[in-house]
Amino acid sequence: MANPWTGRGNPYTRQEVRDRLQTVVDQKSAIIAAGAGTGISAKFIEKGGADLIIIYNSGRFRMSGHGSTAGLMAYGDANAVAMEIGEFEVLPVVEEIPVICGVHGSDPRRRIWHHLLKVKEMGFSGINNFPTHCIVDGHFRQVLEETGMGFEKEVEMVRIANKMDLFSIVYVATPEEAVQMANAGADAIITHVGTTVGGSVGVTGASCTMEDAIERTNRIIEAAKKVNPKVFFLTHGGPINTPEDVRKILDKTNAHGFVGASSLERMGVEKSLTDLTREFKKLTIQK
């Protein structure tokens, strides 16, 4: 659907995004969603054929040379940063594929329904629950839940997004969270198995092995499918980093695709810039 004012492809309705993804699945291709923290990342991710672009506040830290976990910390207003990246960098350059906005649903300073209206008005086609508290555990997670800033706020955000005809693609870390999101009407569920390994600022050891990631992904998918078999399932994080890693997990689960942020945007920049600079440094002066 082209925007009648600009001729560009954004925004799409919830059903239009679902139809696009279903076409990918029907063609037996993997759905690829990619994080973009800058306009140039978004432009060339689209040229590479990604199906969705997701804007995370962590993209700003990632593309500044820091770890993505900085996006979970109090280093800025996560919702404001995602909107700023969208308005001034990504949405102006993406021509055709849907762009999804990362929303910090538990932000106590915002009326989430009001913020989602702004997200839709900006031209986003959907929302993602990032920063997400599903990847926080232990005592701190308990404190967040008990003080009204827990995962249920993210679930409620999805319910509101549905009423606004916004597509929702959400992170979960457990089967129980997957059931909550499926009941809320999430269109796509991402099985988050931990921080991505590798690269200059990735974790040095996997939070789980590939076997663990496969087992956790299967449990999450099985739980959510009992609620809604029409949910799209994607994988993310931990040892799932390279195309070959994704191939392994797709072969052994019922996932429909992969969400890559560090593994696409950061890793791509790190390797290509390093290799290209080395090629330039091989040049000699012949006089």
Side-chain angles (χ1 to χ4, degrees):
M1 179 189 72
N3 185 320
W5 299 106
T6 66
R8 293 183 180 273
N10 282 290
Y12 291 92
T13 67
R14 179 187 180 194
Q15 188 59 50
E16 285 170 338
V17 179
R18 289 189 59 90
D19 289 344
R20 288 172 66 95
L21 299 187
Q22 188 60 54
T23 297
V24 175
V25 173
D26 290 344
Q27 294 171 345
K28 300 191 181 301
S29 295
I31 296 169
I32 301 299
T38 66
I40 195 166
S41 296
K43 179 181 289 189
F44 290 97
I45 284 169
E46 180 175 32
K47 285 184 179 294
D51 301 295
L52 297 174
I53 287 177
I54 305 177
I55 296 180
Y56 305 94
N57 75 308
S58 58
R60 175 153 292 173
F61 296 103
R62 183 164 50 245
M63 300 309 287
S64 296
H66 310 297
S68 298
T69 305
L72 296 172
M73 306 300 289
Y75 301 149
D77 184 334
N79 283 318
V81 169
M83 291 288 275
E84 184 178 275
I85 294 172
E87 180 173 15
F88 298 113
E89 297 196 50
V90 173
L91 287 169
V93 301
V94 172
E95 295 185 353
E96 200 271 331
I97 63 176
V99 180
I100 309 300
C101 185
V103 179
H104 193 188
S106 59
D107 185 342
R109 303 164 303 166
R110 282 179 167 80
R111 297 164 294 166
I112 202 62
W113 62 268
H114 186 244
H115 183 65
L116 293 188
L117 285 174
K118 294 180 180 179
V119 167
K120 186 168 185 176
E121 182 183 33
M122 183 77 70
F124 289 100
S125 299
I127 56 104
N128 167 257
N129 60 329
F130 193 89
T132 174
H133 293 174
C134 80
I135 55 177
V136 179
D137 57 15
H139 177 69
F140 185 46
R141 173 69 178 270
Q142 182 180 346
V143 171
L144 289 171
E145 298 291 340
E146 292 179 358
T147 54
M149 292 176 282
F151 185 71
E152 177 56 39
K153 292 287 187 179
E154 299 173 34
V155 177
E156 179 60 24
M157 175 179 70
V158 171
R159 295 192 186 101
I160 296 171
N162 289 346
K163 295 178 181 179
M164 295 183 180
D165 198 31
L166 283 165
F167 178 84
S168 56
I169 176 169
V170 296
Y171 286 113
V172 303
T174 67
E176 294 75 21
E177 291 166 352
V179 168
Q180 286 180 271
M181 283 298 193
N183 277 320
D187 295 293
I189 288 177
I190 309 164
T191 62
H192 199 305
V193 297
T195 304
T196 303
V197 302
S200 63
V201 290
V203 294
T204 56
S207 53
C208 65
T209 65
M210 181 61 75
E211 290 70 26
D212 291 335
I214 291 168
E215 191 270 336
R216 287 171 59 182
T217 297
N218 275 326
R219 286 194 292 113
I220 288 171
I221 291 175
E222 288 168 10
K225 284 183 74 173
K226 291 176 181 177
V227 177
N228 182 4
K230 295 184 179 180
V231 171
F232 297 100
F233 294 99
L234 297 94
T235 64
H236 175 83
I240 312 165
N241 188 4
T242 67
E244 181 55 34
D245 296 332
V246 177
R247 165 52 53 208
K248 290 177 183 177
I249 201 160
L250 292 181
D251 285 346
K252 296 186 178 182
T253 70
N254 288 319
H256 301 109
F258 171 69
V259 175
S262 294
S263 53
L264 264 163
E265 186 177 39
R266 175 170 61 83
M267 301 296 191
V269 169
E270 288 183 8
K271 185 177 188 308
S272 62
L273 284 180
T274 301
D275 291 348
L276 183 59
T277 303
R278 284 174 178 161
E279 287 299 311
F280 274 111
K281 284 299 296 176
K282 291 178 182 178
L283 297 174
T284 59
I285 299 173
Q286 303 294 332
K287 291 187 179 177

